[in-house]
């Protein structure tokens, strides 16, 4: 939906789709985090009865709960970057986030064990969200006019075709030259 709105230069629709996706993501993140925080160790105990494994789960549980918010927000910003065809920036941002996360894990894992690994994962998801949001808010690249640009009264609007016009064009393209001649259209 966002890619379609951006392609059609429909700023209001793009903004509405992005805000709806962000709102739904925030709701899902809240539900996931709340469920994990409330059920916590009780949920893990349903599947595991090994005491050391349960202790390991308990040590990383706060990071797992926090990371749900970052994951949901990162996926929304990734989707917006993909919809805006901002693939090269997205690739660089993901690689940069991963490198910083690996460095963090390399430093923290020997000191904090499994918690250090999860803190690195949490950092990676936060950085993916932050770099994506900063790119969109920077108004550079494909985001120069997306979401923010509202045409003025004196600015000519870009022509867009309606769904009816598009379907008529597709129907005409699928007809044979003889059928088109019957419609009074010129074919080559």
């Amino acid at each position: 939906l966002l890619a379609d709105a951006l392609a059609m230069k429909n700023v209001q629709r793009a903004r509405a789709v992005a805000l709806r996706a962000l709102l739904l993501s925030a709701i899902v993140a809240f539900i996931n985090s709340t469920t994990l925080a409330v059920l916590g160790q009780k949920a893990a105990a349903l599947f595991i009865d090994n005491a050391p494994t349960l202790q390991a789960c308990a040590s990383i549980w706060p990071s797992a709960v926090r990371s749900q918010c970052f994951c949901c927000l990162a996926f929304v910003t990734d989707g917006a970057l993909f919809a805006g065809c901002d693939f090269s920036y997205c690739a660089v941002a993901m690689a940069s986030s991963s490198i910083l996360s690996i460095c963090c894990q390399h430093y923290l894992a020997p000191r904090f064990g499994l918690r250090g690994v999860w803190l690195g994962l949490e950092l990676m998801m936060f950085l993916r969200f932050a770099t994506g949001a900063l790119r969109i808010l920077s108004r550079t690249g494909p985001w120069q006019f997306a979401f923010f640009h509202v045409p003025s009264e004196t600015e000519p609007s870009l022509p867009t075709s309606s769904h009816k016009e598009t379907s008529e064009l597709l129907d005409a393209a699928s007809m044979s030259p003889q059928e088109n001649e019957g419609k009074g259209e010129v074919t080559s």
Side-chain angles (χ1 to χ4, degrees):
L1 296 173
L2 182 57
D4 181 55
L6 290 173
M8 300 293 282
K9 308 280 191 223
N10 188 335
V11 176
Q12 288 81 13
R13 184 165 178 240
R15 193 177 296 148
V17 169
L19 290 175
R20 176 71 50 97
L22 190 59
L23 176 66
L24 290 174
S25 176
I27 291 169
V28 168
F30 177 77
I31 291 170
N32 284 348
S33 295
T34 303
T35 302
L36 287 175
V38 170
L39 296 179
Q41 298 306 304
K42 296 173 188 142
L46 291 173
F47 303 101
I48 304 164
D49 59 0
N50 185 322
T53 305
L54 287 171
Q55 288 175 338
C57 285
S59 73
I60 60 103
W61 209 260
S63 287
V65 170
R66 282 190 309 265
S67 71
Q68 293 304 302
C69 296
F70 298 139
C71 287
C72 287
L73 295 172
F75 296 149
V76 167
T77 55
D78 285 348
L81 291 171
F82 293 153
C85 296
D86 204 357
F87 301 116
S88 59
Y89 179 84
C90 195
V92 170
M94 284 185 188
S96 301
S97 299
S98 297
I99 289 169
L100 288 172
S101 173
I102 289 168
C103 291
C104 178
Q105 290 171 336
H106 182 71
Y107 177 78
L108 292 176
R111 290 162 180 77
F112 298 103
L114 189 58
R115 283 187 323 166
V117 173
W118 270 85
L119 286 171
L121 292 172
E122 188 177 353
L123 174 67
M124 182 179 73
M125 296 311 289
F126 171 75
L127 289 174
R128 281 181 57 195
F129 161 66
T131 56
L134 287 173
R135 171 63 167 189
I136 294 167
L137 294 173
S138 74
R139 299 181 187 187
T140 59
W143 308 105
Q144 188 172 4
F145 297 110
F147 303 130
F148 307 106
H149 181 72
V150 179
S152 66
E153 296 296 324
T154 60
E155 183 178 330
S157 61
L158 295 170
T160 59
S161 60
S162 68
H163 290 291
K164 181 180 177 186
E165 292 170 337
T166 303
S167 65
E168 288 172 356
L169 287 172
L170 289 173
D171 289 342
S174 65
M175 290 182 195
S176 68
Q178 292 80 17
E179 291 175 302
N180 278 334
E181 286 176 12
K183 299 253 184 209
E185 298 174 4
V186 177
T187 60
S188 54

